Amino acid sequence: MASLRLEHISKMFGRTTVLDDISLHAADGEFVVLLGPSGCGKSTLLRIIAGLEQQTSGTVRIGEEIVDALPPRERDIAMVFQQYALYPHLTVRENLAFGLKMRKEPPAVIEARLAEVAKLLEIEDLLDRKPKELSGGQRQRVAMGRAIVRKPKLFLFDEPLSNLDARLRASMRVELKKLHRRLQATIVYVTHDQVEAMTLGDTIVILDQGRIQQIGAPEQIYQEPSNPFVASFIGSPPMNLIEGQIRCVEEGFEFRAGNFVLGLPLRSGEASRLDGKPAILGIRPEDIALSAPPTPSVERPATIDLIENLGADCLVYLIVDGQRLIARASSVPPQQAGETCTVFMSFSKFHVFIDGRRIA
Amino acid sequence: MTRTRGEHVLLWGGILLAVGGSLFPFLWLVSTSLKSPIYVEAIPPTWWPDGSLVFYRNVLFEHRLFDYMINSAIVAGSTTGLALLVATPAAYALARLRLPGTAWILRGLLCVAMFPQIVIAGPVWRMLERLGGLNTHWGLVLPYVALTLPLAVWILATFFNDLPRELEEAASIDGCTTGQTLMYVMLPLAVPGLFTAAILTFIYAWNEFFFALLILTDPAKHTLPVGIALFQGEFTMPWGEIAAASVLATLPLIVVVLLFQRGIIGGLSAGAIKG
Amino acid sequence: MHMQSLTRAPRTQADRHTGRLMILPMLVVVSVFSLYPAVDSFLLSLHRWFLGLPSLGRPFVGLDNYREFLQDPIAHQALLVTAGFVLASTALELLLGLGIALVIHEHFVGRGGVRAAILVPWAIPTVVASQMWRFLANDQYGAINLVLFGDDIGAYVPWLADPWSAFGIIVLADVWKTSSFAALLILAGLQLIPDDLYDAARVDGATAWQRFWHLTLPLLKPALLTALLFRTIDAFRVFDLVFVMTQGGPGDATQVIQFYGYKTLFTEGRVGYGTTISVTVFVVILMLSFLYVRMVGSKLLERRAT
C-alpha cells in the first residue's frame, strides 16, 4: 500500500476546464471518497490517477514516485469499474488471474492468491463460471476480487455500486467497509451517492464544476459545510437555504429576507464589516422542530403547506414569514395541511454564508 | 404485437412474394441441372426434372469445373486470410487508438470501395505483367485483398468500436500493452466480427469476375465465375452443363448464407458497403 | 460522463507507434493496388497508346482523348444506356427493397429462414445470375416464356434479341440480384426507429398506412438516401451482367459505358482512349462517393473530437 498525492491537477478538454487546480492527499490506508454531481469531474480525476487520462498540468504521486509519465500498467494500481468490465470470454478464475499472469507471477503464487481472495469474497463456487452466468452482485464481487488479488499500491473505485439495486447496494456497502478495515488499503472511491460517501469515507472530497468545494471527515462536512453548494448537496432533503441580508441591530445581528427576520449568533466584533451584506442562511430540516426542543431556539408561527409521511419520520413543508422551509419531524404533526403551527429553529444550528463562504 | 386481418394478409403476401421471387429463378436453374439432356431442350420446357445427374457428371469429369473450383477455393481462401491479417490490426487501431487522421482514413476507404474496377484494372494488369503475376493465383489474390480491405476494415472497426472501452482500460490497468490488449482481450471478443468479415470477403473473392477474367486467361487457371461465363459448347449453348456448374458454384454460398444469415446482415450494414 | 469518451489519454509514444504500424500494411496494400492505379489511369488518359501499334510509342496528347470522347457517338449512346439502366434499376430496387425491408423487419415465425432466402440472390455470383437470367429469357427453353405463354409456343418471345426487351431483362436481372442488398440497408434504418413511436401512433389511432406514411417514411429518409446513392454508384459500374448476357447487343442496345470502356481498352487495345472512358466513369462515381461518404452516419466517425 502507498499514499497518494495530487498536486495542482488541472484538465482541459479543448477550452472547457474540467478540473481546476486539484490538490489532495490520501494517507497510506485511507479511504478517500470523491463526491459530486455528475459532470463535476470526479471520474476524470480518478482516470487521471489511473493513467487512463492525461492531466493538462499538475503532478500525481503514488507513494513518493511521480507517475505522470507512466502508462496505467506501470502504475501498480487496481480499478473497479462501474460496469465491472469483467472479461466476458474468461472464467472467473481466469479473470482473477489475468493481471497476475500479465505481470508474469509464478503459477504457484497466482494459485495461492486466487484461493485467498476467493475465500475472502466467498466466490469459491463461482470460479469456473463465465461473467454472463453471474448475478449483478456476484459480478461486483469478482470485479473487486480482480482488484484485490493484485495487491496493488492503490485501489480506485468508479461508482462500483451504482448498477446494483438498492438492497444489494446497502449490503455491498457494509462489506466494502469491512473489506477496507481488513485490507488496510488506500482507496480512492468515486460516487455521486452521499450515503455511500458518508458511510464509507475516512475523508470526503466534494467536487463541483471541476473544483474542490471541501475536504473533510464525513461529520465535519455535514456539520460544517464550507459553502452553500456543500450545504445543499449533503443531506436529504437538502438544507433550507434562504437568501437575504445581514443587518447590524442593537442586540447584535439579524438576518432579513423580506418579512423573514431572525437574530444571529455572530460575534459583535465583525459588526461594521458585515452590516448590509447579502448572505445565505442555512437550516437543516432536522433543526426545525414542531415542538419545543431542549436547546435554545427561535419560535415562529408557520403555515403547513404539505405533509409527506416517510414512515420512520415525516417531512413537513412550511411557510414561515413568506419563506418556504422543510422540516423533518419524528412523528406526524397533529395539524392538517393548510393549518398553522409553531416552529422552533435551533439557534446554535444556523449556518451563515457570506460571499459563498461559511462564517458561522 | 397484434395485427388486423388485413395486415396479416399483407404481411404473408409480402413474405410469399419476396421468398418466391428470390428463389424461383434459382430453383429453375436447379431443376434444369437435374434434367436429362433431351428435356432441357424440350419446347415447351418441362417444370419438373427427371433427376438425371448426367450434367453434373459432364461438368465435373469432361469439363474443367473441378479445376475451377480448386482455383476459386485457393484464391478466395488466400484472399480471406490475407485480408483479415491486414485488416484486423488496422481496424483495431482505427477504432480505438485515436491516431490523427483516423476519420479521414475511414472515409477514404469508403471512397476506394466505390472505385470502378475498370479504372484500376489496366494499371494493375501492367504492374502484374512486369512482376510476372499474370496467370498466377497470387497475381489475383493481391488485388482482391486490396479490393476487400475497405469492407473488412469497416466491419471489424465497427465491431471493435462496439466492444466496451472499459475492458481495454481494465486490461491496461491489469498490465497489458496495446498489443497484448488486442491479443488477449479484444481479439477473442471480436471473433463474431472476424467471422462476418471472413464470410463477406470470401464471398466477394469467390464471385468476382472482372479481374479474374483479365488476370487468369489460361483456362487451367480460371476461377468459377470466369469458367461459367466462358462456358462454350461445340454447336449450341450447353445450358444443362451451365446450370449444373452454376449450382455447384452457388451451393457453398447458399449453405453459408443459411448458417450465418444474422452475421451477414449485421456485417453488410456496417458502413453500408457491399461485398 | 460523455466527455470521457470524447478524449481519452493520449497514449504513450510507444503505443502511438504501435498504432501506426498496425495501419501501415493496410495503407500500403490499398495504395499500391487501388490509389496508385487510379492515378496511373488518369495519367494514361492523357496519352495516345495503341497496344497493337508499338511503333507509335505513347505520345502525350493532353486532353485529345477527352475531346474524342465528347465527339464519339457510340460513347454517347453508351452513356445514355447507362443512365437509363441506373435510373430504372435503382428506382425499382429501392421500391422493392423498401417492401422487402418492411416485411423482414416484422416479427413472425420463420423470419430467419425468410431472411436467408432473400439473401440468396445477393450471394449468387453475378456471373451465375447472368447466365441464369439469360437462360430464363431464352426464346425456346426459357422459363419466362413458359410462365407467360405455357404451351403456346407460337407466342414465345426471343427476349434478348429485341433492343428494348433485352434492356428490360438486364434491368430485371440486376433488380433481382441486388434488391435484397438495398433491403438490408433500409432494414438497418428501420431498426433505428424505436418501437415506442409505433405504439404511441397506435394509441393515437393511426392506421397501418398512416403509420407508414407519417412515421416510417420520414424517419427512413436518411437510410433511403444512403441506399439510393449506394445503388446508383453500383449500377453505374454494371459490367458482368452485360458481358455474360448480351455482350452489349443487340446492336448497342445494352452497351453500358463500362462495357464500352472494357472493349476499347482490352479488346481493341486502344489504351489511351479506353482509359479515358474509364476515368470519366470514375470521376462521376467519385463525386457520387463524396456525397455518399458525407451521408454515412457511423458511430465510427463520431466521437473523434481530437
Side-chain angles (χ1 to χ4, degrees):
Chain A
M1 287 301 135
S3 63
L4 167 75
R5 190 181 289 279
L6 304 181
E7 291 160 1
H8 308 293
I9 298 282
S10 291
K11 173 72 181 172
M12 313 275 292
F13 285 144
R15 289 196 177 168
T16 333
T17 305
V18 179
L19 290 171
D20 186 10
D21 196 25
I22 304 286
S23 295
L24 63 89
H25 175 249
D28 193 351
E30 190 173 353
F31 197 129
V32 176
V33 176
L34 303 180
L35 175 67
S38 57
C40 72
K42 58 192 189 299
S43 281
T44 305
L45 187 58
L46 193 76
R47 294 164 60 82
I48 286 173
I49 299 171
L52 296 171
E53 204 115 20
Q54 189 75 47
Q55 67 270 33
T56 309
S57 61
T59 306
V60 179
R61 284 172 200 268
I62 296 174
E64 280 312 304
E65 190 187 3
I66 296 177
V67 296
D68 299 331
L70 299 181
R73 63 175 177 275
E74 288 167 32
R75 293 193 180 191
D76 198 12
I77 44 164
M79 184 156 166
V80 176
F81 291 85
Q82 189 171 6
Q83 319 281 349
Y84 316 137
L86 299 176
Y87 307 119
H89 58 302
L90 303 180
T91 61
V92 169
R93 184 191 306 279
E94 290 163 337
N95 261 286
L96 293 176
F98 189 81
L100 297 173
K101 275 193 188 146
M102 285 296 124
R103 292 190 156 69
K104 306 214 160 51
E105 298 282 353
V109 174
I110 297 180
E111 207 44 52
R113 292 249 202 110
L114 242 159
E116 185 187 330
V117 168
K119 184 150 183 279
L120 180 69
L121 291 172
E122 298 167 12
I123 51 176
E124 290 124 311
D125 299 341
L126 310 176
L127 286 178
D128 293 315
R129 292 201 203 163
K130 291 270 179 72
K132 64 168 180 283
E133 300 165 73
L134 303 177
S135 69
Q138 290 170 330
R139 284 179 205 182
Q140 173 66 62
R141 282 165 187 277
V142 176
M144 289 206 289
R146 184 172 65 178
I148 294 168
V149 80
R150 290 246 322 274
K151 301 201 170 165
K153 286 184 186 151
L154 182 64
F155 286 100
L156 305 176
F157 286 82
D158 190 4
E159 311 224 13
L161 305 185
S162 60
N163 279 334
L164 302 176
D165 63 48
R167 185 191 300 238
L168 204 51
R169 199 181 311 157
S171 73
M172 282 309 288
R173 214 167 56 213
V174 175
E175 287 198 41
L176 210 57
K177 181 101 185 158
K178 284 186 194 157
L179 208 60
H180 175 241
R181 207 179 298 152
R182 178 133 176 217
L183 295 170
Q184 293 298 313
T186 316
I187 293 178
V188 181
Y189 185 106
V190 162
T191 184
H192 65 269
D193 180 325
Q194 51 168 306
V195 179
E196 279 173 35
M198 297 296 286
T199 50
L200 288 171
D202 297 324
T203 304
I204 296 178
V205 179
I206 297 198
L207 284 169
D208 185 47
Q209 299 184 347
R211 294 214 179 96
I212 291 182
Q213 304 294 323
Q214 188 168 3
I215 302 181
E219 310 74 36
Q220 187 192 358
I221 293 218
Y222 189 80
Q223 304 294 349
E224 296 165 27
S226 63
N227 60 38
F229 172 80
V230 177
S232 64
F233 190 71
I234 297 284
S236 173
M239 185 186 282
N240 297 294
L241 293 176
I242 307 161
E243 285 182 39
Q245 224 176 27
I246 299 270
R247 271 295 165 74
C248 211
V249 290
E250 284 172 31
E251 310 91 81
F253 294 93
E254 64 176 31
F255 174 84
R256 257 175 197 283
N259 293 332
F260 186 90
V261 181
L262 280 180
L264 288 181
L266 296 177
R267 279 174 284 122
S268 50
E270 297 163 342
S272 54
R273 195 164 65 79
L274 294 180
D275 190 27
K277 278 231 170 200
I280 294 175
L281 174 69
I283 313 168
R284 290 212 179 272
E286 56 267 41
D287 297 330
I288 303 178
L290 297 183
S291 53
T295 48
S297 59
V298 196
E299 246 182 83
R300 284 285 184 283
T303 312
I304 297 179
D305 190 31
L306 181 78
I307 300 171
E308 274 184 339
N309 191 348
L310 301 180
D313 47 18
C314 91
L315 300 180
V316 185
Y317 293 74
L318 302 159
I319 299 171
V320 183
D321 294 339
Q323 290 294 329
R324 291 183 171 275
L325 300 177
I326 301 176
R328 184 194 287 276
S330 51
S331 58
V332 181
Q335 298 91 340
Q336 297 284 311
E339 295 179 6
T340 53
C341 63
T342 308
V343 295
F344 304 86
M345 291 175 271
S346 301
F347 204 63
S348 61
K349 300 283 180 67
F350 290 167
H351 306 264
V352 183
F353 305 97
I354 291 177
D355 294 336
R357 305 260 282 290
R358 173 191 187 83
I359 59 156
Chain B
M1 196 74 113
T2 52
R3 294 191 183 96
T4 65
R5 210 185 160 79
E7 285 166 3
H8 264 293
V9 171
L10 209 64
L11 175 65
W12 285 101
I15 292 171
L16 224 64
L17 266 178
V19 173
S22 298
L23 294 186
F24 170 76
F26 184 67
L27 290 178
W28 177 257
L29 203 66
V30 175
S31 160
T32 303
S33 73
L34 291 170
K35 288 174 182 173
S36 298
I38 46 160
Y39 292 115
V40 168
E41 308 218 331
I43 309 172
T46 55
W47 285 107
W48 295 104
D50 56 335
S52 157
L53 291 176
V54 63
F55 289 129
Y56 286 93
R57 208 202 59 206
N58 283 355
V59 290
L60 285 175
F61 300 113
E62 289 173 22
H63 294 268
R64 314 185 85 145
L65 194 79
F66 205 66
D67 293 343
Y68 303 159
M69 290 181 98
I70 302 274
N71 288 335
S72 272
I74 291 174
V75 169
S78 321
T79 301
T80 307
L82 270 174
L84 285 198
L85 203 67
V86 176
T88 309
Y92 176 70
L94 289 173
R96 281 303 168 82
L97 296 189
R98 287 205 313 131
L99 298 167
T102 295
W104 285 109
I105 294 178
L106 284 166
R107 288 201 178 95
L109 281 175
L110 272 189
C111 270
V112 169
M114 303 293 187
F115 281 11
Q117 290 156 327
I118 190 169
V119 83
I120 304 172
V124 166
W125 191 88
R126 282 191 299 283
M127 207 187 319
L128 290 172
E129 190 189 28
R130 256 174 279 148
L131 298 172
L134 294 178
N135 277 315
T136 64
H137 286 138
W138 65 262
L140 189 56
V141 167
L142 285 181
Y144 276 7
V145 170
L147 291 173
T148 50
L149 268 178
L151 174 72
V153 167
W154 264 84
I155 291 175
L156 289 171
T158 306
F159 204 89
F160 279 130
N161 197 46
D162 285 346
L163 292 177
R165 236 163 236 279
E166 284 187 336
L167 285 180
E168 272 175 294
E169 296 177 348
S172 74
I173 285 174
D174 268 344
C176 290
T177 61
T178 304
Q180 286 172 322
T181 305
L182 177 59
M183 211 41 214
Y184 298 122
V185 179
M186 298 311 264
L187 265 193
L189 295 174
V191 166
L194 285 169
F195 210 72
T196 306
I199 288 174
L200 294 180
T201 307
F202 188 89
I203 291 181
Y204 179 93
W206 184 266
N207 291 356
E208 205 282 337
F209 174 63
F210 192 81
F211 277 83
L213 178 71
L214 293 177
I215 293 171
L216 303 181
T217 46
D218 173 3
K221 293 278 162 70
H222 279 349
T223 54
L224 276 169
V226 179
I228 289 173
L230 301 182
F231 222 105
Q232 290 297 334
E234 270 182 74
F235 306 107
T236 52
M237 280 301 289
W239 288 118
E241 277 86 356
I242 291 177
S246 296
V247 171
L248 287 177
T250 309
L251 227 47
L253 302 181
I254 292 192
V255 172
V256 165
V257 165
L258 283 176
L259 290 178
F260 308 112
Q261 164 263 125
R262 195 182 292 262
I264 291 175
I265 291 181
L268 280 177
S269 29
I273 315 183
K274 186 195 166 193
Chain C
M1 300 291 136
H2 292 288
M3 283 191 171
Q4 289 148 20
S5 43
L6 262 177
T7 63
R8 306 176 68 232
R11 311 273 179 144
T12 59
Q13 277 302 312
D15 283 353
R16 286 203 162 202
H17 193 65
T18 319
R20 288 201 193 91
L21 280 180
M22 286 169 145
I23 300 181
L24 193 65
M26 186 271 290
L27 288 181
V28 169
V29 175
V30 170
S31 303
V32 171
F33 288 99
S34 290
L35 293 181
Y36 160 73
V39 174
D40 197 29
S41 273
F42 175 71
L43 293 177
L44 257 175
S45 72
L46 305 176
H47 293 78
R48 177 168 298 132
W49 182 9
F50 295 102
L51 269 190
L53 302 168
S55 58
L56 294 183
R58 304 165 50 175
F60 178 82
V61 294
L63 295 175
D64 272 8
N65 287 323
Y66 290 91
R67 278 186 209 109
E68 187 182 344
F69 183 77
L70 286 178
Q71 289 156 2
D72 179 358
I74 307 177
H76 298 167
Q77 158 79 6
L79 279 178
L80 209 65
V81 171
T82 310
F85 176 81
V86 168
L87 229 72
S89 62
T90 308
L92 286 172
E93 280 156 20
L94 276 193
L95 250 134
L96 266 177
L98 178 60
I100 296 175
L102 288 172
V103 165
I104 58 178
H105 183 55
E106 292 292 313
H107 294 269
F108 54 86
V109 185
R111 184 172 69 166
V114 170
R115 285 183 173 188
I118 283 160
L119 277 179
V120 165
W122 165 81
I124 284 180
T126 311
V127 166
V128 168
S130 313
Q131 289 284 33
M132 187 182 83
W133 279 97
R134 191 177 164 204
F135 184 53
L136 288 167
N138 189 281
D139 53 344
Q140 295 170 304
Y141 330 121
I144 296 181
N145 278 329
L146 178 64
V147 169
L148 289 180
F149 308 114
D151 292 346
D152 180 13
I153 56 176
Y156 279 19
V157 178
W159 298 101
L160 290 173
D162 171 76
W164 282 106
S165 62
F167 179 80
I169 295 289
I170 290 202
V171 169
L172 180 63
D174 194 64
V175 169
W176 179 80
K177 172 92 177 80
T178 50
S179 288
S180 55
F181 184 76
L184 292 189
L185 293 187
I186 297 169
L187 177 67
L190 277 177
Q191 285 166 341
L192 293 179
I193 305 176
D195 286 343
D196 290 6
L197 286 182
Y198 289 101
D199 292 343
R202 274 165 184 261
V203 171
D204 286 344
T207 63
W209 171 253
Q210 287 171 323
R211 291 198 299 271
F212 172 75
W213 191 251
H214 294 290
L215 209 57
T216 312
L217 264 194
L219 291 172
L220 212 50
K221 218 166 94 190
L224 285 171
L225 269 175
T226 314
L228 171 71
L229 267 176
F230 194 96
R231 288 303 321 144
T232 307
I233 292 170
D234 209 41
F236 243 100
R237 303 186 298 182
V238 61
F239 174 82
D240 301 10
L241 281 174
V242 172
F243 182 95
V244 174
M245 290 177 75
T246 62
Q247 289 279 325
D252 286 335
T254 58
Q255 172 152 282
V256 289
I257 191 75
Q258 285 271 75
F259 188 73
Y260 182 51
Y262 162 81
K263 257 175 36 184
T264 316
L265 185 50
F266 293 101
T267 319
E268 299 170 9
R270 296 160 68 196
V271 180
Y273 185 51
T275 306
T276 304
I277 297 171
S278 72
V279 169
T280 313
V281 178
F282 179 53
V283 170
V284 174
I285 287 182
L286 210 57
M287 289 192 296
L288 290 171
S289 304
F290 287 150
L291 270 182
Y292 176 71
V293 166
R294 286 185 56 175
M295 288 281 316
V296 168
S298 168
K299 275 183 283 175
L300 267 182
L301 298 177
E302 295 160 11
R303 288 211 231 145
R304 283 178 199 281
T306 49

